[in-house]
Amino acid sequence: MVGEGILKGLAETARNFFGSYVSKDRLTTVQYPEQREPQIEATRDFPFLVYDGADWQQGMRCVACQICEKECPPKCIFIEKSKDKKPDAFGKMQIYPATFNIDISVCMSCQICVEVCPFDAIKMDVEYHQSSDDRFGALLLNKQRLSKSNEYYNAIHPTEASAVDAQRAEELAKLEAKAKAAAEVKAAAEAKAAADANPALNASPQQPAGDPQ
Amino acid sequence: MTHLALMTQHLDQIFVLTSHWLLSYLPIALQPLCSAILSVAAIIIAFATLFALTTLLERKGLGRMQNRYGPNRVGPCGLFQPLADGVKSLTKEDIVPIRADRAVHFMAPVLLVAASFMGYAVLPIGRNMVMVDMNAGVLFFFAIGSLMELAVFMAGWSSRSKYSLLGAMRAIAQMISYEVPLVLASVVVLMQAGSLSTVAIVNMQATYSGIWPHWFVFTPWGFAGFALFMIAATAESNRSPFDLPEGESEIIAGYYTEYSGFKFALFFLGEYIGMFATSGMAITLFLGGWSAPFSFLTWIPSYFWFFAKLLTIISVFIWIRGTLPRLRMDQLMNLAWQFMLPMTLLNLLTTGIWHFMLPGFLRWIVCSTMVIVPCILLGSGLKYKKKFQIRTYHFSQ
Amino acid sequence: MSTATLAAASLNLEPANESGMDQLLEIAMGPQHPSTHGVFRMNVVLDGERVVRLKPVFGYLHRNHEKIAENETYLGSMPYTDRLDYMCPLTNNWAYALAVEKLAGIQVPERAEYLRVITGELTRLQNHTCLIGFLMQDMGASGTPLMYAFRQREIILDLFEALTGARMMCNYMRFGGCRVDLPAGWLDQAKKVVADFPRFLDEYERLLVSNEILMDRTQDVGVLSKELAISAGISGPMARASGVDYDIRKVDHYSIYDRFNFRVPLGSHGDVYDRFMVRVLEMRESVSILQQALRDIPEGPIVDPKTKIRGFRPKPGEAYGRIEGPKGELGFYLVSDGSPNPYRYRVRPPSLINLTILEDLCLGRNVADIVVILGSIDIVMGEVDR
């Protein structure tokens, strides 16, 4: 019949019109900024530096190895190494970055820096409200603006963060066990060395000539 | 008359009574002039408000059809959006191309708005509420409607731009082609009513047999005439699916590409007002003007029914706009000349037969057949000629 | 009108004087235009409403992708491939990964192959949906089918975000597999999306397929003959709509497509309507592939453990990896000289190759048809210009 397809189309549109008052999936608008979509866990926006503990400078995991700087495709990371060292989470003295800048107007959120970091120091944040009206430098994030705590990391990416934490705890446990074993060996060696150095002290006591008075 | 009946009558005639009361304060010599001014002011205010409401309704209606809200930020449910649009169009810079013909460029939107408003002079909006009761009202309406085409061409030509010229050419061809079925579709009403006066046509339809009104749309020839009139009205108002002249995705905005700011708003206004006027004429000719659909509803004021019918037609326009893609130029022309013109001529024949047959079941059967069968035959014939295929697809082995 | 004659003269054309009054009108459609699918310009010479000549001008979105790749490591180019055909980032990643795997002789574990097929077919679904929406929008259906298409696309993009971290620039494939494994609940969510999709396809079809206006505007418009399609190197749904039986998934047997039971739809007329319908049918086939893949995905590693992320140096040589992308044959040609950066990196963009015959398709048609034909070729300027 003439016009049949047109009538079917009209019926379809009418169904959507009335359906939009009734069912949720025919009106999918989220009224931003009053409503927000729930954050999907794996979202990645811009990088941030993770620190353990309370002090962001002391607890920073980054050791300025500059691997992320080399691997970043648009070359938006700028690192300068420090001259002194500070202890890291495992107790070893490491250098740290004196400056760590990321230009997020260049960053393309590709996550390659996160993949190649051997120290779990740089992870992807979920903050996308980074726009600013300052043209010169507001989008160049420095070390302090980039540092966020491990608790924050656990809050935004729970699965990933707990896996990282478990792995680090395991490493720490292994290190401690190794250190303990090393300490035991050292203590045993010390005791042996002391025994060799002073045989008189360690010789089994002879029966005293005197009487037990 | 009972109290209730008196009150409903007063409510129905409230605008007429108010204007008489206002005019009684003026000297007799000035009364006709002031009465005209009052009517003009009333029409402009009423229909400009309707225009503002329609722009909002259209955006919200389209939005809901597309699974989204329409404008809902400005004011509660977006009610102040037309105000915001008005402020925007008033404060925009008025750019006139350097090679444009300034006088014609300026006059085109003015002419469009003036021509479209003039059509309301003969539409009876309520009982005794027509501005000018001409005895050639329908003729006047269609004559004034042709002025709109002139305005469109003025706009396209004066802009001296290729896109505008293309758009203007298309618009003129379309509008002229659809004038013919538009007028022919209304001739059937004139044949049956025996008068060109809009007031007489509505009065003829405002009678009831039982609870059913005598609207012309409830007859086979009236229904066909109404359908044809509405299709032609859509084309005359450049609305989807006939909005090729303003084909947004092809030639930007067609004949009003070079207009900005207030003049663009005037074009918009003129087109919508023209759409309301043509719909108003359709209501007058086929849908019984200001008469109520059932005899027990006549206590509701007449102007309410007119605007209710107008709003219904506008909603259908919006519905169609949200659904259909637009027709290409040659398809548009083919529809006008190869389908609608023969149908309107056949409709004339059907009306004549209806008039001369005795009232009863037989004339319903005969006239319905005379309307439906050619429609189907012509439709399938045209479809066959274009070789529309419902195709089947095979898959590779 | 002197402008027309000047323009005609610059094109070395005589102003047509057949009926004594016709003159040629040259207009430039684009680069800012609502329907040219990106920054794309067409210099069209019209005789009244008929197209006499059409010259496409592109390059407005050229971003030196291939030169940048010569200075980046192989892995560093992966995020840039996302941005080539920005409607289908995952298939771009896949084609590139395939090329590098061929170059370096890397094997891909089975679970990774399944993940690649799943994400690839989801990409195909959302690309075709959007294309049909855009085609209807260009035809003037004031956005309604487009909104429906985008509503479905959002659901698929949510899936991508949950898996890869980003809605569009996914950067998901690695050499030897995929970057990250499925999070908890993703498989069920994907199964639900795929189960709902046929209902949306039915709704969509009801709005479109037997619509007389659509049929009138697309049947016998922009007819591409089979011979021209083969000789011009057209690939993808555009070639299949003209009857060329060439689907790289069936020809190359790459990845694990041999395990899935799917058909390849072919058209016979090669017009816009056929290209449109072939894509709708392909969507149904993709849904079928997805259902099979989601059902059969095995456990296992998702990346070849021997492949290095840093310091990746394939042996000197060359390789060409290609896939059946949603737009056609997407291929990457790599030449390695043993260093961490490729010596030559070349993309075979299906949109560009399919675009070369635009003039042949548009000659003799109306202005209104140009837009419809361009829409049916399915171009993305990111790929055309790279």
Side-chain angles (χ1 to χ4, degrees):
Chain A
M1 194 190 87
V2 181
E4 189 187 349
I6 296 179
L7 290 172
K8 268 202 262 181
L10 284 174
E12 194 52 51
T13 326
R15 181 180 316 152
N16 267 288
F17 180 80
F18 292 114
S20 74
Y21 287 102
V22 179
S23 77
K24 186 76 180 63
D25 67 326
R26 289 204 192 272
L27 188 68
T28 49
T29 317
V30 170
Q31 300 271 45
Y32 187 87
E34 290 92 19
Q35 300 169 355
R36 299 288 173 96
E37 286 230 327
Q39 184 219 320
I40 295 181
E41 196 196 316
T43 307
R44 55 175 205 260
D45 283 295
F46 294 113
F48 73 97
L49 292 171
V50 190
Y51 67 84
D52 298 305
D55 186 351
W56 66 274
Q57 275 166 322
Q58 283 302 105
M60 198 190 299
R61 293 183 191 171
C62 176
V63 299
C65 63
Q66 293 180 312
I67 292 180
C68 57
E69 192 180 17
K70 289 198 204 78
E71 296 291 323
C72 173
K75 303 282 182 288
C76 67
I77 302 183
F78 308 100
I79 301 177
E80 273 175 23
K81 299 191 193 211
S82 66
K83 300 279 188 294
D84 57 332
K85 296 198 178 188
K86 71 162 176 65
D88 72 354
F90 303 118
K92 189 167 159 201
M93 295 300 281
Q94 302 269 24
I95 56 171
Y96 59 91
T99 49
F100 192 114
N101 292 338
I102 297 185
D103 187 352
I104 58 172
S105 65
V106 176
C107 172
M108 54 177 181
S109 311
C110 65
Q111 210 184 21
I112 288 183
C113 54
V114 172
E115 268 178 75
V116 297
C117 177
F119 298 95
D120 297 311
I122 185 167
K123 297 289 175 192
M124 293 309 273
D125 202 351
V126 298
E127 267 299 312
Y128 50 87
H129 297 107
Q130 305 273 20
S131 58
S132 155
D133 52 1
D134 172 16
R135 265 200 293 168
F136 308 104
L139 292 179
L140 185 70
L141 302 185
N142 59 11
K143 196 169 58 160
Q144 179 167 20
R145 282 177 68 181
L146 283 171
S147 293
K148 303 203 175 162
S149 69
N150 194 20
E151 282 79 40
Y152 175 78
Y153 180 41
N154 270 286
I156 57 174
H157 295 299
T159 331
E160 215 181 290
S162 46
V164 166
D165 282 347
Q167 198 193 10
R168 284 173 76 87
E170 205 184 296
E171 261 184 56
L172 195 63
K174 255 198 278 185
L175 265 176
E176 278 181 2
K178 221 167 65 164
K180 202 157 140 224
E184 275 180 13
V185 166
K186 193 156 160 243
E190 263 181 18
K192 195 160 177 299
D196 289 336
N198 207 339
L201 270 173
N202 284 342
S204 43
Q206 310 259 354
Q207 279 291 5
D211 44 83
Q213 274 167 344
Chain B
M1 233 190 264
T2 62
H3 236 45
L4 199 61
L6 200 65
M7 210 168 68
T8 47
Q9 200 192 31
H10 280 177
L11 193 61
D12 190 38
Q13 296 295 292
I14 192 163
F15 293 107
V16 181
L17 294 172
T18 322
S19 79
H20 282 168
W21 174 74
L22 279 173
L23 289 173
S24 62
Y25 287 109
L26 292 168
I28 301 276
L30 280 179
Q31 274 188 6
L33 181 66
C34 292
S35 157
I37 293 177
L38 208 58
S39 313
V40 167
I43 287 178
I44 292 183
I45 293 174
F47 284 95
T49 317
L50 187 64
F51 161 71
L53 193 64
T54 305
T55 51
L56 179 66
L57 222 64
E58 174 155 32
R59 289 169 70 171
K60 287 194 84 71
L62 279 179
R64 286 276 166 176
M65 278 191 257
Q66 297 169 3
N67 299 143
R68 55 184 177 88
Y69 297 99
N72 63 353
R73 292 268 161 187
V74 193
C77 282
L79 276 173
F80 299 152
Q81 184 71 37
L83 271 175
D85 284 339
V87 170
K88 173 200 80 168
S89 65
L90 280 171
T91 54
K92 269 199 177 168
E93 181 189 350
D94 187 29
I95 303 174
V96 179
I98 201 163
R99 294 189 308 160
D101 188 342
R102 291 194 82 99
V104 181
H105 192 86
F106 177 78
M107 276 201 321
V110 173
L111 179 63
L112 185 69
V113 173
S116 30
F117 268 116
M118 279 211 276
Y120 290 97
V122 292
L123 289 183
I125 300 185
R127 200 175 273 116
N128 305 331
M129 278 165 73
V130 64
M131 186 175 151
V132 181
D133 185 6
M134 285 188 212
N135 42 9
V138 176
L139 183 62
F140 172 81
F141 182 85
F142 288 122
I144 291 296
S146 313
L147 266 183
M148 285 178 64
E149 296 155 24
L150 181 64
V152 163
F153 192 61
M154 281 166 69
W157 184 258
S158 67
S159 303
R160 297 264 172 87
S161 138
K162 286 173 192 168
Y163 281 146
S164 309
L165 193 62
L166 253 180
M169 295 293 184
R170 286 169 160 181
I172 294 294
Q174 176 183 318
M175 286 168 119
I176 291 182
S177 308
Y178 277 92
E179 281 279 339
V180 180
L182 188 77
V183 175
L184 280 177
S186 60
V187 166
V188 291
V189 173
L190 305 176
M191 282 166 68
Q192 194 66 5
S195 158
L196 275 171
S197 159
T198 47
V199 176
I201 293 174
V202 172
N203 284 337
M204 229 184 108
Q205 295 179 71
T207 51
Y208 298 88
S209 54
I211 54 165
W212 301 107
H214 286 165
W215 293 357
F216 291 140
V217 75
F218 292 137
T219 57
W221 53 268
F223 187 75
F226 179 62
L228 291 165
F229 192 95
M230 288 320 293
I231 297 176
T234 321
E236 280 292 307
S237 326
N238 292 339
R239 276 197 69 89
S240 209
F242 301 103
D243 59 349
L244 199 60
E246 54 176 78
E248 206 184 272
S249 47
E250 291 148 26
I251 47 170
I252 320 299
Y255 53 89
Y256 46 75
T257 311
E258 302 294 341
Y259 283 88
S260 59
F262 193 54
K263 292 187 197 153
F264 188 83
L266 277 182
F267 266 111
F268 215 50
L269 175 72
E271 278 203 359
Y272 273 68
I273 297 289
M275 179 175 98
F276 298 157
T278 322
S279 311
M281 182 51 78
I283 293 173
T284 309
L285 290 174
F286 295 98
L287 287 177
W290 43 255
S291 64
F294 299 110
S295 61
F296 51 83
L297 288 174
T298 44
W299 54 272
I300 299 179
S302 51
Y303 43 86
F304 171 82
W305 285 117
F306 182 85
F307 280 106
K309 291 174 200 173
L310 191 60
L311 277 172
T312 316
I313 292 188
I314 291 172
S315 316
V316 173
F317 272 138
I318 296 175
W319 186 17
I320 292 183
R321 178 183 174 182
T323 312
L324 298 176
R326 70 172 66 96
L327 289 173
R328 211 174 54 214
M329 199 60 199
D330 55 322
Q331 293 159 0
L332 229 151
M333 292 299 167
N334 286 343
L335 186 69
W337 295 107
Q338 290 180 3
F339 181 75
M340 290 186 64
L341 186 62
M343 286 304 298
T344 45
L345 292 174
L346 262 160
N347 207 18
L348 285 180
L349 190 61
T350 314
T351 315
I353 290 183
W354 174 278
H355 188 77
F356 287 110
M357 282 180 79
L358 296 166
F361 203 51
L362 188 61
R363 74 169 176 175
W364 274 87
I365 301 272
V366 168
C367 291
S368 308
T369 327
M370 278 190 72
V371 164
I372 293 175
V373 169
C375 175
I376 294 181
L377 284 179
L378 198 61
S380 0
L382 285 173
K383 249 173 128 163
Y384 179 73
K385 197 171 74 121
K386 281 189 224 196
K387 300 191 248 40
F388 280 167
Q389 303 137 347
I390 303 290
R391 299 177 177 167
T392 51
Y393 291 86
H394 65 283
F395 297 91
S396 78
Q397 301 313 320
Chain C
M1 277 172 50
S2 54
T3 328
T5 15
L6 267 176
S10 69
L11 292 169
N12 292 325
L13 280 173
E14 305 292 320
N17 268 320
E18 345 160 332
S19 53
M21 296 306 287
D22 286 340
Q23 289 205 348
L24 296 175
L25 184 67
E26 180 180 1
I27 59 174
M29 292 178 75
Q32 293 137 327
H33 196 277
S35 354
T36 49
H37 293 268
V39 276
F40 178 59
R41 187 167 109 214
M42 292 180 278
N43 289 335
V44 185
V45 178
L46 298 173
D47 176 13
E49 279 253 344
R50 308 224 154 250
V51 174
V52 169
R53 262 191 66 162
L54 188 147
K55 189 163 93 96
V57 178
F58 45 84
Y60 291 93
L61 198 53
H62 181 65
R63 295 165 292 179
N64 294 312
H65 173 65
E66 295 179 358
K67 183 66 185 172
I68 289 177
E70 285 178 19
N71 295 327
E72 294 280 353
T73 57
Y74 285 87
L75 184 62
S77 289
M78 185 64 89
Y80 288 104
T81 58
D82 279 331
R83 286 136 170 99
L84 268 182
D85 171 6
Y86 38 78
M87 298 291 287
C88 323
L90 283 162
T91 42
N92 299 348
N93 286 352
W94 191 357
Y96 181 53
L98 208 65
V100 173
E101 283 155 16
K102 264 198 201 169
L103 185 63
I106 305 175
Q107 295 294 330
V108 180
E110 207 178 319
R111 184 174 168 89
E113 293 280 25
Y114 271 88
L115 282 175
R116 285 180 171 186
V117 167
I118 291 172
T119 45
E121 292 304 316
L122 279 172
T123 312
R124 193 183 311 272
L125 275 182
Q126 56 104 11
N127 179 14
H128 285 339
T129 319
C130 281
L131 171 82
I132 294 174
F134 280 123
L135 194 60
M136 296 303 294
Q137 165 79 352
D138 289 343
M139 279 198 260
S142 72
T144 311
L146 186 62
M147 289 294 135
Y148 298 164
F150 268 74
R151 189 189 67 199
Q152 287 307 115
R153 183 170 180 248
E154 285 297 316
I155 300 174
I156 297 182
L157 291 183
D158 277 342
L159 276 180
F160 286 163
E161 191 175 3
L163 176 59
T164 70
R167 285 149 46 92
M168 273 173 80
M169 305 302 150
C170 300
N171 187 20
Y172 182 58
M173 312 287 175
R174 291 286 176 264
F175 313 129
C178 302
R179 177 166 61 83
V180 75
D181 207 343
L182 301 177
W186 195 91
L187 214 52
D188 296 320
Q189 197 186 353
K191 282 182 186 161
K192 204 158 80 74
V193 170
V194 172
D196 273 341
F197 214 82
R199 185 176 63 94
F200 159 72
L201 276 180
D202 290 332
E203 245 179 59
Y204 219 36
E205 276 189 39
R206 246 180 288 142
L207 187 61
L208 301 173
V209 167
S210 53
N211 188 338
E212 281 87 4
I213 299 181
L214 180 77
M215 290 208 287
D216 211 0
R217 285 201 70 169
T218 56
Q219 286 188 355
D220 290 328
V221 169
V223 176
L224 175 65
S225 66
K226 195 167 166 181
E227 294 73 33
L228 184 58
I230 296 178
S231 69
I234 310 294
S235 55
M238 202 170 159
R240 289 196 283 280
S242 301
V244 177
D245 184 2
Y246 193 70
D247 184 333
I248 299 177
R249 293 175 291 181
K250 298 276 193 191
V251 166
D252 266 2
H253 312 282
Y254 68 93
S255 186
I256 47 166
Y257 273 108
D258 286 340
R259 299 193 200 176
F260 301 112
N261 201 2
F262 67 100
R263 302 175 297 180
V264 173
L266 291 177
S268 42
H269 296 259
D271 53 14
V272 172
Y273 189 75
D274 263 357
R275 283 178 230 146
F276 176 86
M277 282 308 292
V278 159
R279 289 188 170 105
V280 172
L281 291 168
E282 267 188 23
M283 277 203 273
R284 292 199 185 269
E285 296 301 321
S286 288
V287 167
S288 153
I289 297 178
L290 274 169
Q291 280 166 344
Q292 295 169 47
L294 287 168
R295 188 190 61 207
D296 296 336
I297 181 168
E299 300 295 329
I302 54 160
V303 72
D304 174 37
K306 291 196 296 293
T307 313
K308 295 194 283 185
I309 289 193
R310 301 187 54 218
F312 175 72
R313 287 165 192 264
K315 291 188 295 300
E318 58 185 35
Y320 179 66
R322 63 183 190 160
I323 59 158
E324 177 70 24
K327 300 192 158 64
E329 173 187 334
L330 173 64
F332 282 78
Y333 175 63
L334 291 166
V335 176
S336 156
D337 58 356
S339 69
N341 312 342
Y343 177 74
R344 172 76 174 114
Y345 169 108
R346 154 91 182 139
V347 180
R348 183 216 185 266
S351 303
L352 176 60
I353 313 268
N354 291 353
L355 195 58
T356 50
I357 49 156
L358 182 63
E359 186 174 2
D360 296 288
L361 294 182
C362 288
L363 283 180
R365 313 281 334 172
N366 287 353
V367 175
D369 289 331
I370 298 179
V371 174
V372 170
I373 295 173
L374 185 65
S376 75
I377 299 183
D378 192 5
I379 60 166
V380 167
M381 290 317 288
E383 202 172 51
V384 171
D385 292 337
R386 277 155 288 137

